[in-house]
């Protein structure tokens, strides 16, 4: 193993890891917004909204994220959407993970017993009140862990922006594999950084989950 | 520059060939990931820790890093140690191993969930531990695990798009080829997406049918 | 009692989990063709003793012999595995919860071990399965899967599965305890049939009436020791020991409720 080489190039990997983290954070935020909207649509009273929500989930989950990204980044200009690679990455990945989060959030909401809603309604709360004060707080607790699974997948999924030349971890590893012919060393550098990011995120989610349980 | 899908039919043969390769690579990797998953699960549950350790390490590495990075490692890493595999084979191995790790988790849980009495009954008949595992415990675990593994296989189909990056001429790369000649990325990526979607629906349909049959057999 | 050389011989069996002694120096000799029942309250160690016979729950100390083979020999792992698999082919066991293999049909449940371990051909195995299923009255269910059988039917198939290995001894671990009352009798009938064929049997049971009618000898166990043993008429009608009397009285009271 070429430790010297690894010592020489690791600063570039660290810089790339920062990009991966930025991508992950922004994608998570967009994913949560899309997921909430998606879940609201799928649970809506209006059939048209339900249909739109279902179509969003089905199409996005039924096709590769890489293709979705390519359509947005390479095909976008044809329909008047001109994005730099990083923005295209955040939007593409966010919309993608949003479909998975839609199902997570919806699953948590419908897991809350119907009796809870009925009890709130018999106290005289409105539909919106009973949802906000009774159902959502309980569902939020339930969805922390599965959303954590989504976020874990999302962090690894940020690698998909390498083919559109966002200089994040996988792109950097690929570049250095090409120029140094040391695939194992480069894999190790990138791999360790990914695992650190995932580990720290996992701990954070576990902490949130514990806290939510005590409350 | 507007959209024009009329160029698509001219390249349909390339695209359809890509579809076949995508199906082939998905099938190959699915088979590898299934048997690999059983193999890893049995190692994780029933071997000495010295044997288990490198597998744990491997599992940990494969679950903690992106598939794309793993594909680069396998493709370029094998070349470095002097094994020059065709991209297709490297793709099958990469996808197959990646999903074998995930399948192994499912299979381990299912094996542990098989009633202890099953192993006991097999052992009292005189079957060795290996025989009891092979004939009694693993088949039951596999039946329980087919639906979640099926979901993994559907995820595998979509992740197979990644092997275009190491040069496997599957659906995504076929679309890119057509784009290289026409410069119409939107049209061809949408067409590719549509084919993925249809294959995906087909796999889901088959899986639902299998699930229903398993339910009925219980 | 005859002074014939014992067929199954348990010598000074001891078993403990940490500080808890489950079996405290138990010896038991069973002659060929003999039927022995072991009764006693739950936690008395009777199932542990039974499961020590085929080394499912290995003893802490003591020896178990079947004819001139020591079952619980101390051997290096690989040799022990080979030895115990050989021995277990001679000892049939029937469990409280049947433990039929749910992914295999009745036929496959019965033929699995003979085909794997004795190398029987498909035809030979089929014949064997039919013969055994005939005996337990389950031949008409040969193509069924266990999930479609009642508890009594499952247990009869489990008995056929054990018999298909042509065992020298049969062990029954509360074979009817998990059954609805109306299904107990069909299993008892099969066991009686085996008794008439002079199968050597060790039976752990809660069914005092059954034990009395088929067994040659009854052991009453409590807290890891054999409190009293003898012919059934003696144990059930006229026990010497106070603990035996108490147990039987309580048991009768429960049974009559």
């Amino acid at each position: 193993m070429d430790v010297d080489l690894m010592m020489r190039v690791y600063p570039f990997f660290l810089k790339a890891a920062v990009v991966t983290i930025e991508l992950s954070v922004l994608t998570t935020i967009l994913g949560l917004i899309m997921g909430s909207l998606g879940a609201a649509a799928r649970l809506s009273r209006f059939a048209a909204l339900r249909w739109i929500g279902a179509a969003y989930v089905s199409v996005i989950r039924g096709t590769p994220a890489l293709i979705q990204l390519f359509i947005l980044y390479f095909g976008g200009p044809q329909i008047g959407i001109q994005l730099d690679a990083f923005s295209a990455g955040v939007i593409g990945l966010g919309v993608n993970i949003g479909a998975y989060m839609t199902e997570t959030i919806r699953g948590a909401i419908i897991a809350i017993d119907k009796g809870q809603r009925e009890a709130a309604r018999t106290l005289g709360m409105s539909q919106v009140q009973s949802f906000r004060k009774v159902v959502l707080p309980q569902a939020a607790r339930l969805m922390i862990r599965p959303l954590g699974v989504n976020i874990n997948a999302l962090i690894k999924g940020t690698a998909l922006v390498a083919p559109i030349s966002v200089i994040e971890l996988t792109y950097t590893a690929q570049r250095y594999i090409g120029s140094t012919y040391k695939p194992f060393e480069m894999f190790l550098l990138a791999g360790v950084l990914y695992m650190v990011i995932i580990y720290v995120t996992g701990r954070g989610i576990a902490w949130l989950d514990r806290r939510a349980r005590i409350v | 520059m507007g959209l024009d899908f009329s160029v698509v039919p001219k390249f349909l043969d390339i695209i359809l060939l890509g579809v076949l390769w995508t199906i082939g690579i998905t099938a190959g990797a699915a088979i590898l990931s299934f048997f690999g998953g059983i193999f890893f699960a049995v190692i994780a549950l029933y071997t000495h820790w010295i044997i288990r350790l490198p597998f744990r390490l491997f599992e940990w590495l494969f679950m903690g890093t992106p598939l794309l990075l793993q594909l680069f490692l396998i493709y370029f890493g094998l070349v470095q140690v002097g094994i020059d595999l065709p991209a297709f084979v490297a793709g099958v191995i990469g996808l197959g191993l990646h999903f074998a790790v995930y399948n192994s988790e499912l299979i381990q849980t299912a094996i542990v969930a098989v009633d202890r009495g099953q192993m006991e009954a097999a052992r009292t008949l005189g079957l060795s531990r290996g025989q009891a595992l092979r004939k009694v415990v693993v088949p039951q675990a596999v039946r329980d695990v087919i639906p979640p593994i099926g979901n993994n296989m559907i995820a595998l189909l979509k992740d197979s798009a990644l092997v275009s990056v190491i040069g496997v001429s599957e659906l995504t790369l076929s679309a890119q080829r057509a784009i290289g000649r026409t410069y119409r990325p939107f049209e061809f990526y949408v067409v590719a997406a549509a084919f993925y979607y249809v294959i995906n629906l087909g796999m889901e349909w088959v899986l639902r049918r299998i699930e229903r049959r398993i339910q009925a057999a219980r | 009692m005859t002074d014939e050389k014992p067929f199954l011989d348990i010598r000074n069996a001891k078993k403990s989990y940490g500080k808890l002694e489950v079996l405290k120096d138990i010896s038991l000799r069973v002659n060929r063709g003999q039927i022995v029942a072991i009764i006693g309250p739950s936690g008395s160690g009777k199932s542990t003793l039974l499961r020590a016979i085929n080394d499912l729950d290995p003893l802490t100390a003591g020896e178990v012999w079947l004819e001139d083979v020591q079952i619980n020999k101390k051997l290096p792992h690989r040799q022990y595995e080979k030895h115990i698999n050989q021995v277990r082919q001679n000892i049939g066991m029937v469990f409280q919860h049947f433990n039929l293999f749910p992914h295999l049909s009745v036929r496959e449940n019965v033929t699995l071990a003979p085909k794997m371990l004795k190398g029987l051909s498909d035809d030979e195995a089929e014949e064997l399965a039919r013969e055994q299923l005939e005996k337990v009255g389950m031949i008409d269910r040969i193509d069924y899967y266990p999930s479609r059988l009642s508890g009594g039917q499952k247990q009869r198939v489990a008995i056929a599965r054990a018999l298909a290995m042509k065992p020298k001894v049969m062990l029954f671990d509360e074979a009817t305890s998990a059954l609805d009352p109306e299904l107990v009798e069909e299993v008892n009938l099969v066991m009686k049939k085996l008794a008439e064929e002079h199968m050597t049997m060790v039976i752990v049971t809660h069914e005092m009436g059954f034990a009395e009618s088929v067994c040659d000898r009854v052991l009453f166990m409590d807290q890891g020791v054999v409190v009293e043993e003898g012919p059934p008429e003696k144990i059930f009608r006229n026990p010497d020991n106070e603990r035996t009397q108490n147990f039987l009285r309580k048991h009768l009271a429960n049974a009559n409720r």
Side-chain angles (χ1 to χ4, degrees), chain C residues 86-100:
Chain C
Q86 202 62 48
V87 167
R88 282 177 182 159
Q89 296 184 31
N90 294 320
I91 305 174
M93 184 157 192
V94 177
F95 299 86
Q96 182 178 359
H97 295 288
F98 333 123
N99 294 347
L100 283 184

PDB file of all heavy atoms in Angstrom, chain C residues 86-100:
ATOM      1  N   GLN C  86     -24.459 -40.681  13.687  1.00  0.00           N
ATOM      2  CA  GLN C  86     -24.669 -42.112  13.527  1.00  0.00           C
ATOM      3  C   GLN C  86     -25.614 -42.627  14.610  1.00  0.00           C
ATOM      4  O   GLN C  86     -26.586 -43.320  14.337  1.00  0.00           O
ATOM      5  CB  GLN C  86     -23.299 -42.804  13.624  1.00  0.00           C
ATOM      6  CG  GLN C  86     -23.242 -44.158  12.985  1.00  0.00           C
ATOM      7  CD  GLN C  86     -23.517 -44.066  11.483  1.00  0.00           C
ATOM      8  OE1 GLN C  86     -22.934 -43.230  10.809  1.00  0.00           O
ATOM      9  NE2 GLN C  86     -24.423 -44.895  10.987  1.00  0.00           N
ATOM     10  N   VAL C  87     -25.305 -42.262  15.859  1.00  0.00           N
ATOM     11  CA  VAL C  87     -26.089 -42.743  16.996  1.00  0.00           C
ATOM     12  C   VAL C  87     -27.546 -42.295  16.882  1.00  0.00           C
ATOM     13  O   VAL C  87     -28.469 -43.065  17.122  1.00  0.00           O
ATOM     14  CB  VAL C  87     -25.484 -42.210  18.314  1.00  0.00           C
ATOM     15  CG1 VAL C  87     -26.454 -42.427  19.465  1.00  0.00           C
ATOM     16  CG2 VAL C  87     -24.159 -42.883  18.595  1.00  0.00           C
ATOM     17  N   ARG C  88     -27.747 -41.034  16.507  1.00  0.00           N
ATOM     18  CA  ARG C  88     -29.103 -40.491  16.504  1.00  0.00           C
ATOM     19  C   ARG C  88     -29.993 -41.165  15.476  1.00  0.00           C
ATOM     20  O   ARG C  88     -31.216 -41.143  15.598  1.00  0.00           O
ATOM     21  CB  ARG C  88     -29.053 -38.980  16.252  1.00  0.00           C
ATOM     22  CG  ARG C  88     -28.644 -38.214  17.501  1.00  0.00           C
ATOM     23  CD  ARG C  88     -28.533 -36.757  17.231  1.00  0.00           C
ATOM     24  NE  ARG C  88     -28.095 -36.031  18.426  1.00  0.00           N
ATOM     25  CZ  ARG C  88     -27.544 -34.833  18.394  1.00  0.00           C
ATOM     26  NH1 ARG C  88     -27.367 -34.225  17.235  1.00  0.00           N
ATOM     27  NH2 ARG C  88     -27.181 -34.246  19.501  1.00  0.00           N
ATOM     28  N   GLN C  89     -29.384 -41.757  14.470  1.00  0.00           N
ATOM     29  CA  GLN C  89     -30.200 -42.486  13.504  1.00  0.00           C
ATOM     30  C   GLN C  89     -30.893 -43.672  14.165  1.00  0.00           C
ATOM     31  O   GLN C  89     -31.881 -44.184  13.656  1.00  0.00           O
ATOM     32  CB  GLN C  89     -29.325 -42.976  12.344  1.00  0.00           C
ATOM     33  CG  GLN C  89     -28.741 -41.816  11.555  1.00  0.00           C
ATOM     34  CD  GLN C  89     -27.959 -42.270  10.349  1.00  0.00           C
ATOM     35  OE1 GLN C  89     -28.262 -43.295   9.757  1.00  0.00           O
ATOM     36  NE2 GLN C  89     -26.943 -41.505   9.985  1.00  0.00           N
ATOM     37  N   ASN C  90     -30.343 -44.109  15.307  1.00  0.00           N
ATOM     38  CA  ASN C  90     -30.934 -45.253  16.010  1.00  0.00           C
ATOM     39  C   ASN C  90     -31.923 -44.845  17.091  1.00  0.00           C
ATOM     40  O   ASN C  90     -32.495 -45.690  17.752  1.00  0.00           O
ATOM     41  CB  ASN C  90     -29.827 -46.082  16.663  1.00  0.00           C
ATOM     42  CG  ASN C  90     -28.934 -46.722  15.634  1.00  0.00           C
ATOM     43  OD1 ASN C  90     -29.413 -47.193  14.609  1.00  0.00           O
ATOM     44  ND2 ASN C  90     -27.635 -46.722  15.897  1.00  0.00           N
ATOM     45  N   ILE C  91     -32.046 -43.545  17.301  1.00  0.00           N
ATOM     46  CA  ILE C  91     -32.916 -43.076  18.382  1.00  0.00           C
ATOM     47  C   ILE C  91     -33.955 -42.133  17.803  1.00  0.00           C
ATOM     48  O   ILE C  91     -33.619 -41.033  17.365  1.00  0.00           O
ATOM     49  CB  ILE C  91     -32.086 -42.333  19.462  1.00  0.00           C
ATOM     50  CG1 ILE C  91     -30.945 -43.234  19.955  1.00  0.00           C
ATOM     51  CG2 ILE C  91     -32.982 -41.924  20.619  1.00  0.00           C
ATOM     52  CD1 ILE C  91     -30.000 -42.539  20.900  1.00  0.00           C
ATOM     53  N   GLY C  92     -35.186 -42.554  17.784  1.00  0.00           N
ATOM     54  CA  GLY C  92     -36.239 -41.677  17.277  1.00  0.00           C
ATOM     55  C   GLY C  92     -36.689 -40.736  18.371  1.00  0.00           C
ATOM     56  O   GLY C  92     -36.679 -41.090  19.548  1.00  0.00           O
ATOM     57  N   MET C  93     -37.073 -39.522  17.979  1.00  0.00           N
ATOM     58  CA  MET C  93     -37.563 -38.607  18.998  1.00  0.00           C
ATOM     59  C   MET C  93     -38.796 -37.880  18.494  1.00  0.00           C
ATOM     60  O   MET C  93     -38.859 -37.454  17.340  1.00  0.00           O
ATOM     61  CB  MET C  93     -36.487 -37.586  19.371  1.00  0.00           C
ATOM     62  CG  MET C  93     -36.918 -36.672  20.503  1.00  0.00           C
ATOM     63  SD  MET C  93     -35.502 -35.973  21.361  1.00  0.00           S
ATOM     64  CE  MET C  93     -36.273 -35.280  22.797  1.00  0.00           C
ATOM     65  N   VAL C  94     -39.770 -37.723  19.391  1.00  0.00           N
ATOM     66  CA  VAL C  94     -41.002 -37.027  19.062  1.00  0.00           C
ATOM     67  C   VAL C  94     -41.150 -35.870  20.038  1.00  0.00           C
ATOM     68  O   VAL C  94     -41.013 -36.051  21.242  1.00  0.00           O
ATOM     69  CB  VAL C  94     -42.208 -37.992  19.148  1.00  0.00           C
ATOM     70  CG1 VAL C  94     -43.512 -37.259  18.887  1.00  0.00           C
ATOM     71  CG2 VAL C  94     -42.030 -39.135  18.161  1.00  0.00           C
ATOM     72  N   PHE C  95     -41.410 -34.684  19.476  1.00  0.00           N
ATOM     73  CA  PHE C  95     -41.414 -33.472  20.290  1.00  0.00           C
ATOM     74  C   PHE C  95     -42.833 -33.028  20.642  1.00  0.00           C
ATOM     75  O   PHE C  95     -43.790 -33.334  19.936  1.00  0.00           O
ATOM     76  CB  PHE C  95     -40.754 -32.323  19.523  1.00  0.00           C
ATOM     77  CG  PHE C  95     -39.321 -32.570  19.150  1.00  0.00           C
ATOM     78  CD1 PHE C  95     -39.008 -33.244  17.978  1.00  0.00           C
ATOM     79  CD2 PHE C  95     -38.298 -32.128  19.960  1.00  0.00           C
ATOM     80  CE1 PHE C  95     -37.688 -33.460  17.622  1.00  0.00           C
ATOM     81  CE2 PHE C  95     -36.972 -32.333  19.609  1.00  0.00           C
ATOM     82  CZ  PHE C  95     -36.669 -33.006  18.437  1.00  0.00           C
ATOM     83  N   GLN C  96     -42.905 -32.220  21.686  1.00  0.00           N
ATOM     84  CA  GLN C  96     -44.202 -31.657  22.076  1.00  0.00           C
ATOM     85  C   GLN C  96     -44.821 -30.836  20.947  1.00  0.00           C
ATOM     86  O   GLN C  96     -46.000 -30.938  20.664  1.00  0.00           O
ATOM     87  CB  GLN C  96     -43.992 -30.775  23.310  1.00  0.00           C
ATOM     88  CG  GLN C  96     -45.265 -30.167  23.837  1.00  0.00           C
ATOM     89  CD  GLN C  96     -45.015 -29.339  25.095  1.00  0.00           C
ATOM     90  OE1 GLN C  96     -43.895 -29.244  25.584  1.00  0.00           O
ATOM     91  NE2 GLN C  96     -46.069 -28.754  25.612  1.00  0.00           N
ATOM     92  N   HIS C  97     -43.976 -30.044  20.280  1.00  0.00           N
ATOM     93  CA  HIS C  97     -44.499 -29.169  19.220  1.00  0.00           C
ATOM     94  C   HIS C  97     -44.225 -29.714  17.826  1.00  0.00           C
ATOM     95  O   HIS C  97     -44.054 -28.960  16.875  1.00  0.00           O
ATOM     96  CB  HIS C  97     -43.953 -27.758  19.385  1.00  0.00           C
ATOM     97  CG  HIS C  97     -44.419 -27.107  20.654  1.00  0.00           C
ATOM     98  ND1 HIS C  97     -45.712 -26.678  20.819  1.00  0.00           N
ATOM     99  CD2 HIS C  97     -43.786 -26.879  21.828  1.00  0.00           C
ATOM    100  CE1 HIS C  97     -45.846 -26.189  22.050  1.00  0.00           C
ATOM    101  NE2 HIS C  97     -44.699 -26.302  22.675  1.00  0.00           N
ATOM    102  N   PHE C  98     -44.162 -31.013  17.710  1.00  0.00           N
ATOM    103  CA  PHE C  98     -44.069 -31.749  16.437  1.00  0.00           C
ATOM    104  C   PHE C  98     -42.791 -31.479  15.657  1.00  0.00           C
ATOM    105  O   PHE C  98     -42.144 -32.395  15.197  1.00  0.00           O
ATOM    106  CB  PHE C  98     -45.275 -31.486  15.516  1.00  0.00           C
ATOM    107  CG  PHE C  98     -46.545 -31.118  16.233  1.00  0.00           C
ATOM    108  CD1 PHE C  98     -47.219 -29.938  15.956  1.00  0.00           C
ATOM    109  CD2 PHE C  98     -47.060 -31.948  17.226  1.00  0.00           C
ATOM    110  CE1 PHE C  98     -48.373 -29.595  16.636  1.00  0.00           C
ATOM    111  CE2 PHE C  98     -48.220 -31.615  17.905  1.00  0.00           C
ATOM    112  CZ  PHE C  98     -48.877 -30.431  17.613  1.00  0.00           C
ATOM    113  N   ASN C  99     -42.489 -30.174  15.450  1.00  0.00           N
ATOM    114  CA  ASN C  99     -41.317 -29.810  14.651  1.00  0.00           C
ATOM    115  C   ASN C  99     -41.287 -30.486  13.288  1.00  0.00           C
ATOM    116  O   ASN C  99     -40.235 -30.890  12.811  1.00  0.00           O
ATOM    117  CB  ASN C  99     -40.022 -30.119  15.403  1.00  0.00           C
ATOM    118  CG  ASN C  99     -39.861 -29.262  16.639  1.00  0.00           C
ATOM    119  OD1 ASN C  99     -40.583 -28.282  16.809  1.00  0.00           O
ATOM    120  ND2 ASN C  99     -38.938 -29.620  17.504  1.00  0.00           N
ATOM    121  N   LEU C 100     -42.446 -30.598  12.662  1.00  0.00           N
ATOM    122  CA  LEU C 100     -42.442 -31.042  11.264  1.00  0.00           C
ATOM    123  C   LEU C 100     -41.804 -29.941  10.431  1.00  0.00           C
ATOM    124  O   LEU C 100     -41.830 -28.772  10.805  1.00  0.00           O
ATOM    125  CB  LEU C 100     -43.866 -31.293  10.777  1.00  0.00           C
ATOM    126  CG  LEU C 100     -44.526 -32.577  11.244  1.00  0.00           C
ATOM    127  CD1 LEU C 100     -45.886 -32.726  10.585  1.00  0.00           C
ATOM    128  CD2 LEU C 100     -43.675 -33.794  10.940  1.00  0.00           C
TER     129      LEU C 100
END
